[in-house]
Amino acid sequence: MKLIVMVMTMMMISEGSMIDQTCKQTPDFKLCVSLLNSDPRGSSADTSGLALILIDKIKVLATKTLTEINGLYKKRPELKQALDQCSRRYKTILNADVPEAIEAISKGVPKFGEDGVMDAGVEASACEEGFQGKSPLTSLTKSMQNISSVTRAVVRMLL
Amino acid sequence: MASTEALLPVTSRQDPLSESRSDQIPETRRKRPIKVHLAVCSGLLLIALYVTLIVTHDGSTAQNGAKDETSTESRARLAGVSEKSNDRVWRLSGDGKTEAFPWNNTMLSWQRTAFHFQPEKNWMNDPNGPLFYKGWYHFFYQYNPNAAVWGDIVWGHAVSKDLIHWLYLPLAMVPDKWYDANGVWTGSATFLDDGSIVMLYTGSTDKFVQVQNLAYPEDPSDPLLLKWTKFSGNPVLVPPPGIGAKDFRDPTTAWKTSSGKWRITIGSKVNRTGISLLYDTTDFKTYEKHETLLHQVPNTGMWECVDFYPVSKTKVNGLDTSVKGPDVKHIVKASMDDTRIDHYAIGTYYDSNGTWVPDNPSIDVGISTGLRYDYGKFYASKTFYDQNKKRRILWGWIGESDSEAADVQKGWSSVQGIPRTVVLDTKTGKNLVQWPVEEIESLRLSNKKFHMKVGPGTVVPIDVGSAAQLDIEAEFKIKKEDLEIIFGEDSVEADEEFSCQNGGGSTVRGALGPFGFSVLADQSLSEHTPVYFYVTKGKDSKLKTFFCTDTSRSTMANDVVKPVYGSFVPVLKGEKLTMRILVDHSIVEGFAQGGRTCITSRVYPTKAIYGATKLFLFNNAIDATITASFKVWQMNSAFIHPYSADDL
């Protein structure tokens, strides 16, 4: 028991430092910490690694949102036009923004990573805007906006 | 015909603070208590301490980075920089005025430019290795053959006889070696004494290290320089000790030193200090690194695409990169990774020890209030010496300001600016002057001449027919009596606070401005892009002139970045106010006072397209009457196309 507590304490100290320090410099500390802590790579990652973890979260969220969008076509057929737009926007996040950001950060030209990550937030906002106040996706798009702004802050640390 | 109708709507001055994203840097730093079970840890304390030491070290590096980032960020915001602006995301929702609508292919296909260089499709960024050889101007560029976003970078290639009519050629270099497997990145050309060409470029290796490689034409007798050979001994330079493996890129054109060696410089950073490393070589294969740097400026971050070249203090022609001497100043330019702004400074180069000292250290390279080639969207620029016409020519990468979804849908992203000549402003001695190469005038078709007096608060439609491809040259005069009133009146306070960025755009009216043209406008001005002068009374009661471009109302679309760009422009005694504007669909380039201040903007109207695009002249000043004398040319397409045998 003592051993487990000791080991857990060590992990808390190390996590408390790098992720802590990094997340303090983002607009949403809580979100940042929860995202990074939820990934096993988080505790030993450098800034690039943390950025890549967050980009992965963007990818996961985009996939989840696309699934939701696809489901809405049947349930809310009157929203087809807006859903089409959202589908396009979120496919851009998955097929353009995420690969661009991963390549840029891996290769050490983070500014293109910043572009990709920021664009994820733009696409989410544009999708939301298409419903003109009556969006069925608000919590998902808001989530993307938030993760995008947190990720951008981390990517900027690499500039 | 002047009309008093349709005054541009007055809106209140926007508070830049309310727009700025304070969430970028957190308001408070929350302290998270670190739980330490001292009693429990006694046995493992040493190990825990070791781990803590490592992560604290990483943490403190981040802290320093954050501090400098804060100052860089806030300086950037003061300067009104927005590269795919932070503001944009939050402004999208809750603004009842702008409707959300999808981009359709009609709107998107209008955006493609007619006479600016852009590939047939996909993504482009930095200009590479520009040169003139055997009758052809060569242009290489960072290109993604697979997508409309950055990635998988190769060297695209095009040639032209006149810097305007380009012919696409096959890709010049692709990532086919271990030392550029992850990217064939930016580089520059040097002409050796025997007229042969060497190309130095950055490769991203299979292990993601940034190195410098040497390449040269496979067949020097081929004027099209189709094929390039990579030196078997590459890389010729790897990151030196103390320099990050990913902070070492964009080698310059070499210049000859007085001892007969070649010298190059490469940008980098040490913590938050932007630096330029110096290397000497005789054969471009082995190099000696200088202990000292060409230059460095604290708090400017990574220096990309460094450029270094001489300008004449007295003559109007360009100079070969190796020229030195008392008649010459040297320019150091760098692209700031942090802010996506190209900055330059004028100074003196000391060849004996390879150092350069700015004339005015307070506006050193990279300082936010320092000089820029362009106060709009313009990055990764590079000059070359055109020995054909004895000019120094500047290329600049103009990225998109729209969403990547739109880029993917329209199938392309980015254009190059029209190449500009660059010379020192011999009248002020304190800045460069740029001007579109004269060859662009070959695109001028019909023109119309206008001369008119425009009273305060007036908008005048200018009938030129089609208005998406224009070259406008204009001269403005403020009525003498109005000027004297402003000068004389104590009640008209000196406007020390004005800048284009926080001046509220073109609808905020002052005594002596704004006045200029609204381009890419629709009939009702629901979409328009004003390019204008704003004259203020400076603190010493002298007039201070600003040149701005306001894209905030350029489109109804809200997934697009719409900043107000611009800067102060020197106007000397006796000079009239002059402006030139090149309009080419989704790009607008403005030049004030013969190119003392330049602004490039990307604009994406949804209504002011095709036959609906109009041009207006406006005077939104409160007190001054303006006399405008101008000429508007229709501009032909450059018909950029793939090279074929017919083109010889």
Side-chain angles (χ1 to χ4, degrees):
Chain A
M1 179 59 195
K2 257 192 183 177
L3 194 67
I4 294 171
V5 180
M6 281 187 240
V7 170
M8 277 172 62
T9 306
M10 257 176 50
M11 280 170 62
M12 266 156 33
I13 292 172
S14 55
E15 280 176 2
S17 289
M18 178 57 175
I19 292 181
D20 202 49
Q21 296 290 354
T22 304
C23 290
K24 275 178 186 172
Q25 300 166 63
T26 71
D28 193 334
F29 177 83
K30 247 188 179 167
L31 174 65
C32 176
V33 168
S34 80
L35 290 170
L36 291 174
N37 275 340
S38 72
D39 191 301
R41 300 167 288 174
S43 54
S44 53
D46 60 4
T47 311
S48 280
L50 293 177
L52 289 169
I53 292 172
L54 291 170
I55 290 165
D56 207 50
K57 301 294 180 189
I58 290 177
K59 184 177 180 186
V60 166
L61 178 58
T63 307
K64 178 176 173 190
T65 311
L66 267 172
T67 306
E68 182 69 19
I69 291 168
N70 288 334
L72 281 168
Y73 277 106
K74 273 227 175 98
K75 292 185 223 159
R76 307 284 305 275
E78 76 278 13
L79 297 177
K80 181 183 188 309
Q81 258 200 325
L83 289 171
D84 281 345
Q85 265 309 291
C86 285
S87 182
R88 159 165 280 150
R89 301 282 184 174
Y90 273 82
K91 280 179 182 159
T92 302
I93 297 177
L94 269 183
N95 301 330
D97 296 339
V98 165
E100 177 184 34
I102 292 174
E103 183 174 347
I105 286 160
S106 313
K107 294 182 180 179
V109 271
K111 71 174 181 286
F112 295 116
E114 185 182 3
D115 285 351
V117 157
M118 267 184 58
D119 190 67
V122 170
E123 305 300 355
S125 302
C127 158
E128 180 71 11
E129 182 87 4
F131 296 102
Q132 304 197 307
K134 299 185 181 129
S135 166
L137 296 170
T138 305
S139 84
L140 287 168
T141 57
K142 262 220 159 52
S143 213
M144 184 60 86
Q145 288 165 358
N146 292 336
I147 298 181
S148 155
S149 78
V150 162
T151 310
R152 187 198 179 191
V154 176
V155 172
R156 280 199 65 82
M157 296 174 202
L158 299 167
L159 287 173
Chain B
M1 280 180 317
S3 88
T4 50
E5 41 126 82
L7 270 167
L8 295 173
V10 175
T11 60
S12 59
R13 242 178 153 180
Q14 289 179 310
D15 177 5
L17 290 178
S18 67
E19 286 187 293
S20 70
R21 290 258 314 266
S22 57
D23 54 11
Q24 185 70 352
I25 304 295
E27 305 284 5
T28 55
R29 304 212 156 195
R30 291 146 65 184
K31 295 227 155 55
R32 188 179 182 198
I34 297 173
K35 293 175 190 161
V36 179
H37 301 285
L38 283 171
V40 174
C41 268
S42 55
L44 292 162
L45 197 58
L46 276 170
I47 300 171
L49 209 61
Y50 182 69
V51 169
T52 310
L53 274 171
I54 295 173
V55 298
T56 312
H57 174 73
D58 284 347
S60 60
T61 312
Q63 272 286 66
N64 285 334
K67 227 173 72 171
D68 293 336
E69 184 199 345
T70 309
S71 50
T72 317
E73 274 284 295
S74 51
R75 269 198 266 121
R77 196 162 295 122
L78 276 177
V81 168
S82 40
E83 162 82 19
K84 297 224 170 182
S85 152
N86 348 348
D87 311 349
R88 170 177 61 174
V89 177
W90 299 110
R91 249 197 275 151
L92 281 187
S93 50
D95 182 1
K97 281 185 280 178
T98 54
E99 325 145 10
F101 68 93
W103 287 101
N104 63 42
N105 289 332
T106 305
M107 295 168 185
L108 291 176
S109 54
W110 176 90
Q111 293 174 8
R112 197 173 169 89
T113 66
F115 54 87
H116 284 73
F117 181 81
Q118 54 180 115
E120 291 171 286
K121 60 176 185 167
N122 290 347
W123 165 278
M124 165 176 65
N125 53 293
D126 305 4
N128 296 155
L131 58 96
F132 178 84
Y133 184 73
K134 290 197 191 303
W136 291 97
Y137 287 97
H138 286 259
F139 179 67
F140 304 90
Y141 53 98
Q142 297 282 277
Y143 177 64
N144 184 344
N146 303 321
V149 297
W150 180 88
D152 296 346
I153 296 294
V154 303
W155 271 38
H157 186 190
V159 288
S160 167
K161 289 280 187 187
D162 65 356
L163 291 167
I164 297 293
H165 295 89
W166 293 95
L167 304 167
Y168 302 119
L169 290 178
L171 302 178
M173 291 198 286
V174 298
D176 54 5
K177 303 283 184 203
W178 69 267
Y179 49 77
D180 59 18
N182 277 308
V184 186
W185 291 351
T186 293
S188 311
T190 305
F191 279 95
L192 303 183
D193 298 329
D194 62 359
S196 62
I197 298 167
V198 293
M199 195 74 83
L200 283 174
Y201 71 95
T202 299
S204 178
T205 70
D206 54 356
K207 304 266 192 301
F208 304 112
V209 178
Q210 293 171 9
V211 299
Q212 315 314 321
N213 301 311
L214 171 64
Y216 37 85
E218 181 181 289
D219 177 8
S221 69
D222 170 21
L224 295 181
L225 297 176
L226 288 175
K227 296 208 184 290
W228 290 77
T229 304
K230 297 175 183 175
F231 171 52
S232 56
N234 279 334
V236 295
L237 278 174
V238 299
I243 295 297
K246 295 177 177 154
D247 300 331
F248 186 61
R249 53 186 183 269
D250 314 332
T252 62
T253 295
W255 63 95
K256 262 298 187 61
T257 66
S258 343
S259 61
K261 288 194 187 153
W262 290 102
R263 186 168 285 171
I264 61 165
T265 187
I266 302 176
S268 184
K269 64 171 173 175
V270 174
N271 296 322
R272 303 311 303 164
T273 298
I275 68 171
S276 205
L277 303 159
L278 218 50
Y279 291 88
D280 284 0
T281 182
T282 49
D283 58 2
F284 289 85
K285 294 171 181 171
T286 58
Y287 295 77
E288 298 157 31
K289 178 175 164 293
H290 284 236
E291 286 306 307
T292 51
L293 304 166
L294 177 68
H295 197 52
Q296 60 181 308
V297 181
N299 282 327
T300 53
M302 174 74 187
W303 283 12
E304 303 190 291
C305 300
V306 170
D307 199 3
F308 177 73
Y309 56 89
V311 287
S312 170
K313 293 202 304 209
T314 52
K315 300 195 213 105
V316 295
N317 51 283
L319 301 175
D320 179 278
T321 313
S322 297
V323 170
K324 291 176 272 301
D327 180 54
V328 149
K329 302 288 314 182
H330 275 80
I331 306 295
V332 169
K333 167 261 165 187
S335 293
M336 300 299 144
D337 203 15
D338 282 7
T339 56
R340 316 301 142 71
I341 297 176
D342 280 6
H343 283 278
Y344 73 89
I346 304 171
T348 306
Y349 169 62
Y350 298 96
D351 190 64
S352 52
N353 61 6
T355 56
W356 173 90
V357 175
D359 287 351
N360 185 348
S362 69
I363 47 166
D364 208 341
V365 183
I367 305 250
S368 68
T369 49
L371 297 168
R372 310 179 194 184
Y373 282 137
D374 193 292
Y375 290 83
K377 181 101 177 178
F378 191 91
Y379 194 67
S381 60
K382 183 182 288 298
T383 65
F384 74 103
Y385 177 61
D386 167 17
Q387 70 276 28
N388 180 39
K389 289 194 171 178
K390 312 227 180 314
R391 311 178 278 192
R392 180 154 291 268
I393 308 246
L394 172 70
W395 282 96
W397 165 42
I398 320 297
E400 300 296 308
S401 299
D402 64 357
S403 71
E404 291 190 15
D407 298 343
V408 168
Q409 191 176 348
K410 74 194 187 191
W412 61 270
S413 177
S414 299
V415 303
Q416 297 290 330
I418 295 295
R420 306 172 182 176
T421 54
V422 185
V423 291
L424 186 67
D425 187 345
T426 49
K427 296 187 185 137
T428 66
K430 291 187 182 165
N431 52 273
L432 295 172
V433 162
Q434 305 154 62
W435 197 245
V437 292
E438 59 185 3
E439 289 92 328
I440 197 178
E441 293 167 29
S442 70
L443 296 177
R444 288 173 168 174
L445 298 168
S446 59
N447 74 78
K448 278 190 173 175
K449 241 175 149 167
F450 301 84
H451 181 91
M452 54 180 75
K453 255 202 187 121
V454 189
T458 316
V459 181
V460 183
I462 306 294
D463 181 17
V464 288
S466 177
Q469 295 170 209
L470 302 175
D471 187 356
I472 305 171
E473 286 194 330
E475 210 173 76
F476 295 92
K477 255 164 57 181
I478 304 178
K479 202 162 114 188
K480 189 155 170 259
E481 293 81 0
D482 297 334
L483 276 177
E484 283 163 4
I485 293 172
I486 306 306
F487 260 126
E489 244 169 58
D490 292 328
S491 63
V492 179
E493 280 170 22
D495 191 350
E496 294 177 44
E497 297 303 309
F498 184 86
S499 76
C500 296
Q501 293 75 13
N502 65 25
S506 57
T507 56
V508 175
R509 311 179 64 188
L512 295 173
F515 56 88
F517 292 92
S518 257
V519 302
L520 298 173
D522 71 327
Q523 189 60 52
S524 65
L525 288 165
S526 66
E527 290 183 336
H528 65 118
T529 302
V531 180
Y532 55 97
F533 285 114
Y534 190 99
V535 183
T536 67
K537 189 177 176 185
K539 57 183 176 183
D540 45 0
S541 269
K542 286 217 188 100
L543 288 179
K544 201 169 173 196
T545 305
F546 293 82
F547 180 57
C548 319
T549 298
D550 178 357
T551 70
S552 62
R553 286 165 202 83
S554 59
T555 177
M556 303 291 276
N558 47 24
D559 59 342
V560 152
V561 181
K562 298 185 275 187
V564 179
Y565 296 118
S567 174
F568 161 73
V569 56
V571 178
L572 304 180
K573 197 166 175 182
E575 286 182 356
K576 293 201 191 84
L577 293 176
T578 64
M579 111 174 26
R580 182 173 182 189
I581 308 174
L582 291 172
V583 180
D584 185 6
H585 297 264
S586 61
I587 185 170
V588 178
E589 284 157 298
F591 302 85
Q593 297 312 101
R596 276 195 193 123
T597 295
C598 312
I599 307 172
T600 303
S601 326
R602 298 305 308 278
V603 170
Y604 308 95
T606 64
K607 290 193 186 153
I609 60 179
Y610 298 105
T613 317
K614 306 272 175 234
L615 175 69
F616 291 85
L617 174 70
F618 75 94
N619 175 10
N620 222 17
I622 297 174
D623 296 313
T625 295
I626 306 295
T627 304
S629 235
F630 55 101
K631 227 167 164 178
V632 183
W633 287 267
Q634 288 293 329
M635 291 296 268
N636 201 358
S637 166
F639 301 111
I640 300 175
H641 62 274
Y643 177 89
S644 74
D646 303 331
D647 288 308
L648 257 178

